[in-house]
Every structure is written in C-alpha cells, then in structure tokens.
Amino acid sequence: MNDPDPTPEELAEEISQRLSNLSDSFRDMRNSELFISDWTQVADIQGTMDDDTKSKWTIYRQSLRDLPEHANWPDLEYGDWPLDLNGNNNSGMDPP
C-alpha cells in the first residue's frame, strides 16, 4: 500500500527543517573560514602586513561575517561566497 501524499503543513515543515540544516552547515563552514584566518588578526602578524593586505583580510573576514545577512541565505550559490586572498571559493560547493 502506498503512503498518502504529505499535507501542505508536512511539506512546509520538511522544507523548514532542510533550510535550517543548510543554514547550520553554512554557518559551520563560515565559522571554519573565520577560525582559519584568525591568525591574520594577531598584533605581531598585523605588524608585518602592508596596509593593502590588512585591508583585504578585513574585507574578506567581514564578508564571511555578513553571509547570514545575504539575500539568498541560506540557499546560497557558489558565487555568493567571498573569495579568499588567493581567489579561492572555500564554500565546498562545486563551481557552476
């Protein structure tokens, strides 16, 4: 015997749960990128960087912090993630 089709409420709950899981995963990836780049904020290291490099790190890290405010959050696409200083997208997504 076949299961009955889910109700609109059940579908809405499933979608909500999947978006919540996606949001959690993206937050974890974002937090990892912030953690990996924390070394750039140490005063001794900052003293060795030129102003342009410091500015790039500041912009990159702020872009990571701003991801949850992105219009597509949490349904982000590859191009929504900021590129690191080497031009890499570290979202874990495949490029289009």
Side-chain angles (χ1 to χ4, degrees), residues 9-25 74:
E9 293 81 15
E10 291 169 332
L11 287 173
E13 177 59 31
E14 176 69 20
I15 290 169
S16 176
Q17 185 60 48
R18 287 181 183 209
L19 287 174
S20 177
N21 291 344
L22 187 59
S23 179
D24 290 346
S25 293

Side-chain angles (χ1 to χ4, degrees), residues 30-96:
R30 187 248 354 226
N31 291 345
S32 290
E33 285 303 306
L34 285 167
F35 178 76
I36 289 167
S37 63
D38 276 349
W39 65 272
T40 66
Q41 304 308 297
V42 176
D44 289 347
I45 298 297
Q46 288 252 327
T48 66
M49 289 184 195
D50 60 52
D51 289 342
D52 186 52
T53 302
K54 282 188 230 180
S55 177
K56 287 177 181 176
W57 277 114
T58 299
I59 292 167
Y60 173 65
R61 289 172 55 82
Q62 188 60 53
S63 296
L64 289 169
R65 285 189 203 94
D66 291 344
L67 272 175
E69 306 307 317
H70 194 284
N72 293 340
W73 183 268
D75 194 19
L76 297 173
E77 298 175 3
Y78 181 85
D80 296 332
W81 281 82
L83 300 178
D84 68 15
L85 272 62
N86 295 315
N88 297 316
N89 176 314
N90 296 315
S91 66
M93 291 186 255
D94 292 328

